[in-house]
Amino acid sequence: MIERKERKPYWQHTKWQMLASLVPLLGSMIVLPLYANALNDDKFLSIPVGFFLAAHVFFVIAVVTVASFVNRQDAIDHWHGAHEDT
């Protein structure tokens, strides 16, 4: 159980961690489609290469971002004494 005096710093730390995790996802959602049109002249498996790569790169970015968020949030939990003892 987290101490009362640690609750505000804990949630502030968690809030900044969440914002830092959303920036790469939102940035890739905006930037990848902008560059996908330039690659769409070529085809791979009858799919335009630009959108094929954009979809797969976004998936990789999402997986890496979620994995790093979970790892970092676990460190924040241990730092503030809110981790689970499993």
Side-chain angles (χ1 to χ4, degrees), residues 11 13 22 29 33-35 39 45 61 64 72 74-75 84:
W11 285 111
H13 208 169
L22 285 175
M29 285 174 55
L34 293 176
Y35 291 104
L39 297 172
L45 298 174
I61 290 171
V64 168
R72 187 67 193 133
D74 190 43
E84 298 177 4

Side-chain angles (χ1 to χ4, degrees), residues 19-62:
L19 290 173
S21 297
L22 285 175
V23 167
L25 285 175
L26 294 176
S28 63
M29 285 174 55
I30 293 169
V31 171
L32 286 176
L34 293 176
Y35 291 104
N37 285 331
L39 297 172
N40 280 338
D41 293 335
D42 299 326
K43 299 230 186 256
F44 176 73
L45 298 174
S46 70
I47 300 171
V49 173
F51 289 112
F52 181 79
L53 289 176
H56 285 81
V57 169
F58 179 73
F59 179 73
V60 169
I61 290 171

